[in-house]
Amino acid sequence: MFGRKPSASTTPGARRRAAAAGRTPGGDEATVTREGGKGHATPKRREAERGRRRTITAPRDRKTAYREARERQRHDRTRQMAALKAGDETHLPARDRGPVRKYARDLVDTRRSVAEFFLPLALVILGLTWFGTAQMKLFGGSLWLALVLLIILDSFVLGFRLRRGLARSLPDVSHRGATIYALMRSMQIRRFRLPPPRIKGRGFRRPSS
């Protein structure tokens, strides 16, 4: 009633409007920072995705990419061949890896297979057939038939023993491809088998783990 009339800028409504506009009631600009805030504007989604993108350095041309791919493949083959020769289980190729393949190799290496003599006997039979007399050719043909029959019979025995042994020792693991793998190994000469045999000597005994 008496005294100076309050200024419009100092009324409660003016103070609220000034605070919303980022100014102090006296008209001076002020920086309004929310307590506990980030202190900067939230980046847009496009900018955030651009920041998360990783720069990938591609080869300069197709020839360089092809050369690098060949180098990687050659390095992998060299490492796998070294693992085959040393019998290193950790770096073996996929076809030789796993307990099932290991069991099949050990079973083949503990016995004499007719199929491992196929190559040298086949050379002898071919020699008799091509350069021998009529009787020698007849003998070579009979020997060839006997060899094939023995290989088939021995393969059945090997497959039966392998399936029975795997069912007893590794019942919870897939046995797919184990029989073919064992038959292919049995056709190789022992000293040239890869991975090399772990078991020394011969004999019909259960493969060790």
Side-chain angles (χ1 to χ4, degrees):
M1 186 175 175
F2 294 97
R4 192 173 63 178
K5 184 178 181 181
S7 174
S9 62
T10 59
T11 61
R15 286 197 294 269
R16 286 195 297 270
R17 289 192 296 272
R23 299 174 180 273
T24 60
D28 296 332
E29 294 183 359
T31 303
V32 180
T33 304
R34 183 180 299 174
E35 184 177 355
K38 295 181 293 184
H40 59 83
T42 303
K44 296 181 179 180
R45 182 177 179 181
R46 184 182 302 172
E47 296 176 355
E49 291 178 352
R50 188 183 303 116
R52 286 195 297 266
R53 290 174 183 169
R54 185 173 55 184
T55 303
I56 300 177
T57 303
R60 291 185 296 274
D61 51 17
R62 183 178 300 179
K63 184 181 296 185
T64 303
Y66 179 71
R67 184 171 62 251
E68 292 177 357
R70 289 191 60 184
E71 288 293 333
R72 288 193 299 268
Q73 293 174 0
R74 184 170 61 182
H75 175 72
D76 293 341
R77 287 195 299 268
T78 302
R79 185 179 62 179
Q80 291 179 358
M81 182 56 65
L84 282 172
K85 292 180 179 180
D88 185 5
E89 293 284 340
T90 58
H91 296 98
L92 287 177
R95 65 180 180 87
D96 300 299
R97 205 177 301 157
V100 174
R101 302 303 171 91
K102 183 178 180 181
Y103 187 98
R105 289 195 301 270
D106 289 345
L107 178 62
V108 172
D109 295 336
T110 56
R111 62 192 300 273
R112 292 187 182 276
S113 301
V114 180
E116 67 181 293
F117 302 103
F118 172 77
L119 184 59
L121 289 178
L123 294 177
V124 173
I125 294 173
L126 288 177
L128 293 176
T129 304
W130 289 348
F131 305 107
T133 61
Q135 294 180 350
M136 295 178 65
K137 291 180 180 180
L138 180 61
F139 175 75
S142 302
L143 185 60
W144 181 267
L145 180 60
L147 178 62
V148 171
L149 292 177
L150 287 175
I151 290 177
I152 293 175
L153 178 61
D154 186 62
S155 298
F156 274 112
V157 173
L158 175 60
F160 174 76
R161 291 194 60 203
L162 177 62
R163 289 190 295 270
R164 185 181 62 181
L166 289 174
R168 181 179 61 248
S169 302
L170 300 168
D172 300 328
V173 184
S174 175
H175 305 156
R176 182 177 181 181
T179 303
I180 299 298
Y181 179 79
L183 293 177
M184 294 299 296
R185 185 174 178 88
S186 67
M187 296 182 66
Q188 301 172 0
I189 300 176
R190 181 182 175 89
R191 63 179 301 178
F192 299 126
R193 292 173 182 171
L194 292 176
R198 299 188 311 123
I199 300 174
K200 305 297 182 182
R202 302 283 186 168
F204 290 85
R205 59 183 181 274
R206 184 178 178 182
S208 60
S209 56

PDB file of all heavy atoms in Angstrom, residues 33-69:
ATOM      1  N   THR A  33      21.711 -25.915 -15.553  1.00  0.00           N
ATOM      2  CA  THR A  33      22.218 -27.289 -15.658  1.00  0.00           C
ATOM      3  C   THR A  33      21.537 -28.130 -14.620  1.00  0.00           C
ATOM      4  O   THR A  33      21.590 -27.817 -13.433  1.00  0.00           O
ATOM      5  CB  THR A  33      23.747 -27.319 -15.449  1.00  0.00           C
ATOM      6  OG1 THR A  33      24.350 -26.446 -16.388  1.00  0.00           O
ATOM      7  CG2 THR A  33      24.265 -28.737 -15.624  1.00  0.00           C
ATOM      8  N   ARG A  34      20.864 -29.154 -15.043  1.00  0.00           N
ATOM      9  CA  ARG A  34      20.160 -30.014 -14.114  1.00  0.00           C
ATOM     10  C   ARG A  34      21.163 -30.780 -13.271  1.00  0.00           C
ATOM     11  O   ARG A  34      22.173 -31.276 -13.765  1.00  0.00           O
ATOM     12  CB  ARG A  34      19.285 -30.996 -14.890  1.00  0.00           C
ATOM     13  CG  ARG A  34      18.449 -31.907 -13.983  1.00  0.00           C
ATOM     14  CD  ARG A  34      17.615 -32.845 -14.803  1.00  0.00           C
ATOM     15  NE  ARG A  34      16.699 -32.065 -15.646  1.00  0.00           N
ATOM     16  CZ  ARG A  34      15.916 -32.626 -16.556  1.00  0.00           C
ATOM     17  NH1 ARG A  34      15.966 -33.947 -16.739  1.00  0.00           N
ATOM     18  NH2 ARG A  34      15.106 -31.876 -17.296  1.00  0.00           N
ATOM     19  N   GLU A  35      20.867 -30.805 -11.979  1.00  0.00           N
ATOM     20  CA  GLU A  35      21.786 -31.471 -11.079  1.00  0.00           C
ATOM     21  C   GLU A  35      21.861 -32.959 -11.408  1.00  0.00           C
ATOM     22  O   GLU A  35      20.845 -33.641 -11.497  1.00  0.00           O
ATOM     23  CB  GLU A  35      21.298 -31.282  -9.641  1.00  0.00           C
ATOM     24  CG  GLU A  35      22.264 -31.862  -8.604  1.00  0.00           C
ATOM     25  CD  GLU A  35      21.779 -31.597  -7.195  1.00  0.00           C
ATOM     26  OE1 GLU A  35      20.758 -30.898  -7.048  1.00  0.00           O
ATOM     27  OE2 GLU A  35      22.426 -32.084  -6.269  1.00  0.00           O
ATOM     28  N   GLY A  36      23.075 -33.450 -11.597  1.00  0.00           N
ATOM     29  CA  GLY A  36      23.259 -34.844 -11.968  1.00  0.00           C
ATOM     30  C   GLY A  36      23.096 -35.090 -13.449  1.00  0.00           C
ATOM     31  O   GLY A  36      23.101 -36.234 -13.881  1.00  0.00           O
ATOM     32  N   GLY A  37      22.922 -34.056 -14.305  1.00  0.00           N
ATOM     33  CA  GLY A  37      22.743 -34.239 -15.730  1.00  0.00           C
ATOM     34  C   GLY A  37      24.045 -34.512 -16.447  1.00  0.00           C
ATOM     35  O   GLY A  37      25.127 -34.481 -15.855  1.00  0.00           O
ATOM     36  N   LYS A  38      23.958 -34.763 -17.797  1.00  0.00           N
ATOM     37  CA  LYS A  38      25.146 -35.074 -18.597  1.00  0.00           C
ATOM     38  C   LYS A  38      25.941 -33.842 -18.945  1.00  0.00           C
ATOM     39  O   LYS A  38      27.119 -33.923 -19.256  1.00  0.00           O
ATOM     40  CB  LYS A  38      24.714 -35.800 -19.880  1.00  0.00           C
ATOM     41  CG  LYS A  38      24.088 -37.152 -19.613  1.00  0.00           C
ATOM     42  CD  LYS A  38      23.704 -37.831 -20.904  1.00  0.00           C
ATOM     43  CE  LYS A  38      22.560 -37.052 -21.577  1.00  0.00           C
ATOM     44  NZ  LYS A  38      22.087 -37.755 -22.796  1.00  0.00           N
ATOM     45  N   GLY A  39      25.310 -32.679 -18.964  1.00  0.00           N
ATOM     46  CA  GLY A  39      26.029 -31.466 -19.303  1.00  0.00           C
ATOM     47  C   GLY A  39      26.139 -31.230 -20.781  1.00  0.00           C
ATOM     48  O   GLY A  39      26.807 -30.296 -21.218  1.00  0.00           O
ATOM     49  N   HIS A  40      25.509 -32.105 -21.598  1.00  0.00           N
ATOM     50  CA  HIS A  40      25.550 -31.914 -23.051  1.00  0.00           C
ATOM     51  C   HIS A  40      24.303 -32.546 -23.638  1.00  0.00           C
ATOM     52  O   HIS A  40      23.622 -33.366 -23.003  1.00  0.00           O
ATOM     53  CB  HIS A  40      26.809 -32.529 -23.669  1.00  0.00           C
ATOM     54  CG  HIS A  40      26.930 -34.003 -23.410  1.00  0.00           C
ATOM     55  ND1 HIS A  40      26.286 -34.944 -24.167  1.00  0.00           N
ATOM     56  CD2 HIS A  40      27.611 -34.668 -22.445  1.00  0.00           C
ATOM     57  CE1 HIS A  40      26.573 -36.140 -23.706  1.00  0.00           C
ATOM     58  NE2 HIS A  40      27.370 -36.002 -22.650  1.00  0.00           N
ATOM     59  N   ALA A  41      24.021 -32.172 -24.859  1.00  0.00           N
ATOM     60  CA  ALA A  41      22.809 -32.659 -25.513  1.00  0.00           C
ATOM     61  C   ALA A  41      22.945 -34.128 -25.902  1.00  0.00           C
ATOM     62  O   ALA A  41      24.024 -34.605 -26.224  1.00  0.00           O
ATOM     63  CB  ALA A  41      22.527 -31.816 -26.761  1.00  0.00           C
ATOM     64  N   THR A  42      21.838 -34.869 -25.834  1.00  0.00           N
ATOM     65  CA  THR A  42      21.838 -36.277 -26.233  1.00  0.00           C
ATOM     66  C   THR A  42      22.028 -36.398 -27.737  1.00  0.00           C
ATOM     67  O   THR A  42      21.308 -35.765 -28.497  1.00  0.00           O
ATOM     68  CB  THR A  42      20.505 -36.931 -25.841  1.00  0.00           C
ATOM     69  OG1 THR A  42      20.319 -36.773 -24.427  1.00  0.00           O
ATOM     70  CG2 THR A  42      20.505 -38.416 -26.204  1.00  0.00           C
ATOM     71  N   PRO A  43      23.024 -37.181 -28.195  1.00  0.00           N
ATOM     72  CA  PRO A  43      23.249 -37.284 -29.646  1.00  0.00           C
ATOM     73  C   PRO A  43      22.089 -37.976 -30.336  1.00  0.00           C
ATOM     74  O   PRO A  43      21.387 -38.794 -29.744  1.00  0.00           O
ATOM     75  CB  PRO A  43      24.532 -38.124 -29.742  1.00  0.00           C
ATOM     76  CG  PRO A  43      24.576 -38.883 -28.471  1.00  0.00           C
ATOM     77  CD  PRO A  43      23.959 -38.000 -27.423  1.00  0.00           C
ATOM     78  N   LYS A  44      21.908 -37.646 -31.591  1.00  0.00           N
ATOM     79  CA  LYS A  44      20.863 -38.271 -32.369  1.00  0.00           C
ATOM     80  C   LYS A  44      21.215 -39.731 -32.660  1.00  0.00           C
ATOM     81  O   LYS A  44      22.364 -40.141 -32.569  1.00  0.00           O
ATOM     82  CB  LYS A  44      20.650 -37.520 -33.679  1.00  0.00           C
ATOM     83  CG  LYS A  44      20.153 -36.094 -33.479  1.00  0.00           C
ATOM     84  CD  LYS A  44      19.950 -35.413 -34.818  1.00  0.00           C
ATOM     85  CE  LYS A  44      19.427 -33.986 -34.643  1.00  0.00           C
ATOM     86  NZ  LYS A  44      19.220 -33.302 -35.943  1.00  0.00           N
ATOM     87  N   ARG A  45      20.196 -40.497 -33.032  1.00  0.00           N
ATOM     88  CA  ARG A  45      20.404 -41.921 -33.285  1.00  0.00           C
ATOM     89  C   ARG A  45      21.361 -42.151 -34.440  1.00  0.00           C
ATOM     90  O   ARG A  45      22.212 -43.042 -34.388  1.00  0.00           O
ATOM     91  CB  ARG A  45      19.057 -42.574 -33.588  1.00  0.00           C
ATOM     92  CG  ARG A  45      19.146 -44.074 -33.821  1.00  0.00           C
ATOM     93  CD  ARG A  45      17.780 -44.652 -34.043  1.00  0.00           C
ATOM     94  NE  ARG A  45      17.857 -46.077 -34.297  1.00  0.00           N
ATOM     95  CZ  ARG A  45      16.809 -46.848 -34.551  1.00  0.00           C
ATOM     96  NH1 ARG A  45      15.588 -46.325 -34.559  1.00  0.00           N
ATOM     97  NH2 ARG A  45      16.951 -48.146 -34.785  1.00  0.00           N
ATOM     98  N   ARG A  46      21.265 -41.349 -35.483  1.00  0.00           N
ATOM     99  CA  ARG A  46      22.151 -41.508 -36.633  1.00  0.00           C
ATOM    100  C   ARG A  46      23.601 -41.251 -36.248  1.00  0.00           C
ATOM    101  O   ARG A  46      24.509 -41.972 -36.660  1.00  0.00           O
ATOM    102  CB  ARG A  46      21.721 -40.549 -37.740  1.00  0.00           C
ATOM    103  CG  ARG A  46      22.513 -40.701 -39.038  1.00  0.00           C
ATOM    104  CD  ARG A  46      22.042 -39.683 -40.053  1.00  0.00           C
ATOM    105  NE  ARG A  46      20.595 -39.846 -40.294  1.00  0.00           N
ATOM    106  CZ  ARG A  46      19.891 -38.988 -41.030  1.00  0.00           C
ATOM    107  NH1 ARG A  46      20.489 -37.919 -41.568  1.00  0.00           N
ATOM    108  NH2 ARG A  46      18.603 -39.185 -41.231  1.00  0.00           N
ATOM    109  N   GLU A  47      23.817 -40.224 -35.395  1.00  0.00           N
ATOM    110  CA  GLU A  47      25.183 -39.918 -34.972  1.00  0.00           C
ATOM    111  C   GLU A  47      25.731 -41.015 -34.065  1.00  0.00           C
ATOM    112  O   GLU A  47      26.913 -41.356 -34.129  1.00  0.00           O
ATOM    113  CB  GLU A  47      25.199 -38.578 -34.260  1.00  0.00           C
ATOM    114  CG  GLU A  47      24.806 -37.393 -35.148  1.00  0.00           C
ATOM    115  CD  GLU A  47      24.748 -36.094 -34.368  1.00  0.00           C
ATOM    116  OE1 GLU A  47      24.916 -36.168 -33.124  1.00  0.00           O
ATOM    117  OE2 GLU A  47      24.536 -35.043 -34.982  1.00  0.00           O
ATOM    118  N   ALA A  48      24.854 -41.568 -33.195  1.00  0.00           N
ATOM    119  CA  ALA A  48      25.325 -42.641 -32.317  1.00  0.00           C
ATOM    120  C   ALA A  48      25.700 -43.885 -33.108  1.00  0.00           C
ATOM    121  O   ALA A  48      26.708 -44.536 -32.835  1.00  0.00           O
ATOM    122  CB  ALA A  48      24.237 -42.977 -31.293  1.00  0.00           C
ATOM    123  N   GLU A  49      24.909 -44.259 -34.127  1.00  0.00           N
ATOM    124  CA  GLU A  49      25.230 -45.413 -34.951  1.00  0.00           C
ATOM    125  C   GLU A  49      26.495 -45.187 -35.744  1.00  0.00           C
ATOM    126  O   GLU A  49      27.304 -46.100 -35.929  1.00  0.00           O
ATOM    127  CB  GLU A  49      24.066 -45.712 -35.895  1.00  0.00           C
ATOM    128  CG  GLU A  49      22.825 -46.227 -35.186  1.00  0.00           C
ATOM    129  CD  GLU A  49      21.688 -46.468 -36.149  1.00  0.00           C
ATOM    130  OE1 GLU A  49      21.846 -46.079 -37.341  1.00  0.00           O
ATOM    131  OE2 GLU A  49      20.659 -47.030 -35.737  1.00  0.00           O
ATOM    132  N   ARG A  50      26.694 -43.957 -36.229  1.00  0.00           N
ATOM    133  CA  ARG A  50      27.920 -43.654 -36.959  1.00  0.00           C
ATOM    134  C   ARG A  50      29.144 -43.798 -36.062  1.00  0.00           C
ATOM    135  O   ARG A  50      30.210 -44.224 -36.489  1.00  0.00           O
ATOM    136  CB  ARG A  50      27.841 -42.240 -37.534  1.00  0.00           C
ATOM    137  CG  ARG A  50      29.004 -41.914 -38.468  1.00  0.00           C
ATOM    138  CD  ARG A  50      28.951 -40.477 -38.968  1.00  0.00           C
ATOM    139  NE  ARG A  50      27.688 -40.207 -39.641  1.00  0.00           N
ATOM    140  CZ  ARG A  50      26.789 -39.326 -39.207  1.00  0.00           C
ATOM    141  NH1 ARG A  50      27.020 -38.657 -38.086  1.00  0.00           N
ATOM    142  NH2 ARG A  50      25.663 -39.127 -39.871  1.00  0.00           N
ATOM    143  N   GLY A  51      28.992 -43.441 -34.774  1.00  0.00           N
ATOM    144  CA  GLY A  51      30.116 -43.560 -33.857  1.00  0.00           C
ATOM    145  C   GLY A  51      30.431 -44.989 -33.491  1.00  0.00           C
ATOM    146  O   GLY A  51      31.565 -45.322 -33.168  1.00  0.00           O
ATOM    147  N   ARG A  52      29.396 -45.850 -33.531  1.00  0.00           N
ATOM    148  CA  ARG A  52      29.628 -47.254 -33.192  1.00  0.00           C
ATOM    149  C   ARG A  52      30.209 -48.054 -34.343  1.00  0.00           C
ATOM    150  O   ARG A  52      30.667 -49.179 -34.158  1.00  0.00           O
ATOM    151  CB  ARG A  52      28.311 -47.904 -32.732  1.00  0.00           C
ATOM    152  CG  ARG A  52      27.869 -47.474 -31.347  1.00  0.00           C
ATOM    153  CD  ARG A  52      26.799 -48.413 -30.828  1.00  0.00           C
ATOM    154  NE  ARG A  52      25.610 -48.376 -31.658  1.00  0.00           N
ATOM    155  CZ  ARG A  52      24.556 -47.605 -31.412  1.00  0.00           C
ATOM    156  NH1 ARG A  52      24.574 -46.786 -30.371  1.00  0.00           N
ATOM    157  NH2 ARG A  52      23.501 -47.642 -32.205  1.00  0.00           N
ATOM    158  N   ARG A  53      30.127 -47.548 -35.538  1.00  0.00           N
ATOM    159  CA  ARG A  53      30.662 -48.266 -36.682  1.00  0.00           C
ATOM    160  C   ARG A  53      32.173 -48.378 -36.604  1.00  0.00           C
ATOM    161  O   ARG A  53      32.858 -47.434 -36.244  1.00  0.00           O
ATOM    162  CB  ARG A  53      30.266 -47.575 -37.978  1.00  0.00           C
ATOM    163  CG  ARG A  53      28.769 -47.695 -38.282  1.00  0.00           C
ATOM    164  CD  ARG A  53      28.411 -46.880 -39.484  1.00  0.00           C
ATOM    165  NE  ARG A  53      26.973 -46.917 -39.745  1.00  0.00           N
ATOM    166  CZ  ARG A  53      26.364 -46.133 -40.616  1.00  0.00           C
ATOM    167  NH1 ARG A  53      27.057 -45.240 -41.312  1.00  0.00           N
ATOM    168  NH2 ARG A  53      25.060 -46.233 -40.795  1.00  0.00           N
ATOM    169  N   ARG A  54      32.680 -49.552 -36.960  1.00  0.00           N
ATOM    170  CA  ARG A  54      34.118 -49.793 -36.914  1.00  0.00           C
ATOM    171  C   ARG A  54      34.680 -49.776 -38.323  1.00  0.00           C
ATOM    172  O   ARG A  54      34.135 -50.365 -39.244  1.00  0.00           O
ATOM    173  CB  ARG A  54      34.405 -51.158 -36.270  1.00  0.00           C
ATOM    174  CG  ARG A  54      35.881 -51.442 -36.059  1.00  0.00           C
ATOM    175  CD  ARG A  54      36.061 -52.717 -35.287  1.00  0.00           C
ATOM    176  NE  ARG A  54      35.383 -53.827 -35.944  1.00  0.00           N
ATOM    177  CZ  ARG A  54      35.317 -55.051 -35.443  1.00  0.00           C
ATOM    178  NH1 ARG A  54      35.838 -55.305 -34.272  1.00  0.00           N
ATOM    179  NH2 ARG A  54      34.694 -56.021 -36.110  1.00  0.00           N
ATOM    180  N   THR A  55      35.763 -49.111 -38.449  1.00  0.00           N
ATOM    181  CA  THR A  55      36.392 -48.995 -39.757  1.00  0.00           C
ATOM    182  C   THR A  55      37.094 -50.302 -40.112  1.00  0.00           C
ATOM    183  O   THR A  55      37.886 -50.822 -39.342  1.00  0.00           O
ATOM    184  CB  THR A  55      37.414 -47.842 -39.760  1.00  0.00           C
ATOM    185  OG1 THR A  55      36.742 -46.640 -39.376  1.00  0.00           O
ATOM    186  CG2 THR A  55      38.024 -47.677 -41.133  1.00  0.00           C
ATOM    187  N   ILE A  56      36.752 -50.867 -41.253  1.00  0.00           N
ATOM    188  CA  ILE A  56      37.339 -52.116 -41.722  1.00  0.00           C
ATOM    189  C   ILE A  56      38.260 -51.810 -42.902  1.00  0.00           C
ATOM    190  O   ILE A  56      37.838 -51.205 -43.885  1.00  0.00           O
ATOM    191  CB  ILE A  56      36.252 -53.116 -42.149  1.00  0.00           C
ATOM    192  CG1 ILE A  56      35.340 -53.407 -40.947  1.00  0.00           C
ATOM    193  CG2 ILE A  56      36.864 -54.390 -42.694  1.00  0.00           C
ATOM    194  CD1 ILE A  56      34.196 -54.316 -41.289  1.00  0.00           C
ATOM    195  N   THR A  57      39.489 -52.241 -42.751  1.00  0.00           N
ATOM    196  CA  THR A  57      40.468 -51.999 -43.803  1.00  0.00           C
ATOM    197  C   THR A  57      40.405 -53.136 -44.812  1.00  0.00           C
ATOM    198  O   THR A  57      40.740 -54.280 -44.496  1.00  0.00           O
ATOM    199  CB  THR A  57      41.877 -51.889 -43.206  1.00  0.00           C
ATOM    200  OG1 THR A  57      41.874 -50.851 -42.219  1.00  0.00           O
ATOM    201  CG2 THR A  57      42.878 -51.561 -44.296  1.00  0.00           C
ATOM    202  N   ALA A  58      39.925 -52.861 -45.967  1.00  0.00           N
ATOM    203  CA  ALA A  58      39.806 -53.870 -47.022  1.00  0.00           C
ATOM    204  C   ALA A  58      41.059 -53.853 -47.894  1.00  0.00           C
ATOM    205  O   ALA A  58      41.768 -52.840 -47.967  1.00  0.00           O
ATOM    206  CB  ALA A  58      38.568 -53.584 -47.877  1.00  0.00           C
ATOM    207  N   PRO A  59      41.355 -54.977 -48.523  1.00  0.00           N
ATOM    208  CA  PRO A  59      42.504 -54.988 -49.438  1.00  0.00           C
ATOM    209  C   PRO A  59      42.329 -53.960 -50.553  1.00  0.00           C
ATOM    210  O   PRO A  59      41.218 -53.618 -50.947  1.00  0.00           O
ATOM    211  CB  PRO A  59      42.508 -56.415 -49.988  1.00  0.00           C
ATOM    212  CG  PRO A  59      41.751 -57.213 -48.986  1.00  0.00           C
ATOM    213  CD  PRO A  59      40.727 -56.286 -48.405  1.00  0.00           C
ATOM    214  N   ARG A  60      43.451 -53.491 -51.051  1.00  0.00           N
ATOM    215  CA  ARG A  60      43.402 -52.431 -52.062  1.00  0.00           C
ATOM    216  C   ARG A  60      42.777 -52.913 -53.366  1.00  0.00           C
ATOM    217  O   ARG A  60      42.055 -52.189 -54.007  1.00  0.00           O
ATOM    218  CB  ARG A  60      44.819 -51.904 -52.305  1.00  0.00           C
ATOM    219  CG  ARG A  60      45.400 -51.138 -51.127  1.00  0.00           C
ATOM    220  CD  ARG A  60      46.749 -50.557 -51.485  1.00  0.00           C
ATOM    221  NE  ARG A  60      47.717 -51.603 -51.765  1.00  0.00           N
ATOM    222  CZ  ARG A  60      48.445 -52.192 -50.834  1.00  0.00           C
ATOM    223  NH1 ARG A  60      48.284 -51.867 -49.570  1.00  0.00           N
ATOM    224  NH2 ARG A  60      49.303 -53.143 -51.147  1.00  0.00           N
ATOM    225  N   ASP A  61      43.043 -54.150 -53.752  1.00  0.00           N
ATOM    226  CA  ASP A  61      42.479 -54.661 -54.995  1.00  0.00           C
ATOM    227  C   ASP A  61      42.238 -56.157 -54.867  1.00  0.00           C
ATOM    228  O   ASP A  61      42.556 -56.783 -53.853  1.00  0.00           O
ATOM    229  CB  ASP A  61      43.420 -54.371 -56.165  1.00  0.00           C
ATOM    230  CG  ASP A  61      44.850 -54.841 -55.880  1.00  0.00           C
ATOM    231  OD1 ASP A  61      45.023 -55.660 -54.955  1.00  0.00           O
ATOM    232  OD2 ASP A  61      45.768 -54.398 -56.589  1.00  0.00           O
ATOM    233  N   ARG A  62      41.655 -56.751 -55.900  1.00  0.00           N
ATOM    234  CA  ARG A  62      41.311 -58.161 -55.869  1.00  0.00           C
ATOM    235  C   ARG A  62      42.550 -59.047 -55.843  1.00  0.00           C
ATOM    236  O   ARG A  62      42.557 -60.106 -55.216  1.00  0.00           O
ATOM    237  CB  ARG A  62      40.449 -58.482 -57.082  1.00  0.00           C
ATOM    238  CG  ARG A  62      39.956 -59.926 -57.113  1.00  0.00           C
ATOM    239  CD  ARG A  62      39.064 -60.168 -58.312  1.00  0.00           C
ATOM    240  NE  ARG A  62      37.899 -59.298 -58.294  1.00  0.00           N
ATOM    241  CZ  ARG A  62      36.978 -59.300 -59.248  1.00  0.00           C
ATOM    242  NH1 ARG A  62      37.110 -60.093 -60.302  1.00  0.00           N
ATOM    243  NH2 ARG A  62      35.939 -58.484 -59.161  1.00  0.00           N
ATOM    244  N   LYS A  63      43.583 -58.649 -56.507  1.00  0.00           N
ATOM    245  CA  LYS A  63      44.806 -59.449 -56.540  1.00  0.00           C
ATOM    246  C   LYS A  63      45.416 -59.560 -55.144  1.00  0.00           C
ATOM    247  O   LYS A  63      45.868 -60.632 -54.727  1.00  0.00           O
ATOM    248  CB  LYS A  63      45.802 -58.830 -57.520  1.00  0.00           C
ATOM    249  CG  LYS A  63      47.079 -59.658 -57.687  1.00  0.00           C
ATOM    250  CD  LYS A  63      48.044 -58.983 -58.651  1.00  0.00           C
ATOM    251  CE  LYS A  63      47.429 -58.905 -60.049  1.00  0.00           C
ATOM    252  NZ  LYS A  63      48.409 -58.367 -61.031  1.00  0.00           N
ATOM    253  N   THR A  64      45.414 -58.441 -54.414  1.00  0.00           N
ATOM    254  CA  THR A  64      45.953 -58.475 -53.058  1.00  0.00           C
ATOM    255  C   THR A  64      45.118 -59.370 -52.158  1.00  0.00           C
ATOM    256  O   THR A  64      45.650 -60.143 -51.345  1.00  0.00           O
ATOM    257  CB  THR A  64      45.996 -57.051 -52.479  1.00  0.00           C
ATOM    258  OG1 THR A  64      46.772 -56.212 -53.339  1.00  0.00           O
ATOM    259  CG2 THR A  64      46.624 -57.055 -51.098  1.00  0.00           C
ATOM    260  N   ALA A  65      43.785 -59.283 -52.279  1.00  0.00           N
ATOM    261  CA  ALA A  65      42.900 -60.127 -51.471  1.00  0.00           C
ATOM    262  C   ALA A  65      43.118 -61.605 -51.790  1.00  0.00           C
ATOM    263  O   ALA A  65      43.133 -62.452 -50.886  1.00  0.00           O
ATOM    264  CB  ALA A  65      41.449 -59.730 -51.711  1.00  0.00           C
ATOM    265  N   TYR A  66      43.283 -61.937 -53.065  1.00  0.00           N
ATOM    266  CA  TYR A  66      43.507 -63.323 -53.465  1.00  0.00           C
ATOM    267  C   TYR A  66      44.838 -63.840 -52.918  1.00  0.00           C
ATOM    268  O   TYR A  66      44.923 -64.976 -52.440  1.00  0.00           O
ATOM    269  CB  TYR A  66      43.473 -63.423 -54.982  1.00  0.00           C
ATOM    270  CG  TYR A  66      43.710 -64.801 -55.523  1.00  0.00           C
ATOM    271  CD1 TYR A  66      42.749 -65.801 -55.386  1.00  0.00           C
ATOM    272  CD2 TYR A  66      44.896 -65.109 -56.187  1.00  0.00           C
ATOM    273  CE1 TYR A  66      42.966 -67.071 -55.872  1.00  0.00           C
ATOM    274  CE2 TYR A  66      45.121 -66.383 -56.682  1.00  0.00           C
ATOM    275  CZ  TYR A  66      44.153 -67.359 -56.518  1.00  0.00           C
ATOM    276  OH  TYR A  66      44.382 -68.621 -57.010  1.00  0.00           O
ATOM    277  N   ARG A  67      45.875 -62.990 -52.967  1.00  0.00           N
ATOM    278  CA  ARG A  67      47.172 -63.402 -52.452  1.00  0.00           C
ATOM    279  C   ARG A  67      47.132 -63.631 -50.939  1.00  0.00           C
ATOM    280  O   ARG A  67      47.704 -64.605 -50.426  1.00  0.00           O
ATOM    281  CB  ARG A  67      48.221 -62.349 -52.802  1.00  0.00           C
ATOM    282  CG  ARG A  67      49.634 -62.759 -52.384  1.00  0.00           C
ATOM    283  CD  ARG A  67      50.689 -61.811 -52.916  1.00  0.00           C
ATOM    284  NE  ARG A  67      50.515 -60.463 -52.390  1.00  0.00           N
ATOM    285  CZ  ARG A  67      50.106 -59.424 -53.087  1.00  0.00           C
ATOM    286  NH1 ARG A  67      49.800 -59.579 -54.385  1.00  0.00           N
ATOM    287  NH2 ARG A  67      49.973 -58.227 -52.546  1.00  0.00           N
ATOM    288  N   GLU A  68      46.438 -62.763 -50.219  1.00  0.00           N
ATOM    289  CA  GLU A  68      46.326 -62.927 -48.773  1.00  0.00           C
ATOM    290  C   GLU A  68      45.542 -64.191 -48.424  1.00  0.00           C
ATOM    291  O   GLU A  68      45.886 -64.900 -47.471  1.00  0.00           O
ATOM    292  CB  GLU A  68      45.664 -61.700 -48.163  1.00  0.00           C
ATOM    293  CG  GLU A  68      46.517 -60.440 -48.245  1.00  0.00           C
ATOM    294  CD  GLU A  68      45.800 -59.230 -47.688  1.00  0.00           C
ATOM    295  OE1 GLU A  68      44.613 -59.381 -47.302  1.00  0.00           O
ATOM    296  OE2 GLU A  68      46.406 -58.151 -47.629  1.00  0.00           O
ATOM    297  N   ALA A  69      44.479 -64.475 -49.192  1.00  0.00           N
ATOM    298  CA  ALA A  69      43.699 -65.694 -48.934  1.00  0.00           C
ATOM    299  C   ALA A  69      44.549 -66.941 -49.179  1.00  0.00           C
ATOM    300  O   ALA A  69      44.483 -67.914 -48.415  1.00  0.00           O
ATOM    301  CB  ALA A  69      42.452 -65.706 -49.813  1.00  0.00           C
TER     302      ALA A  69
END
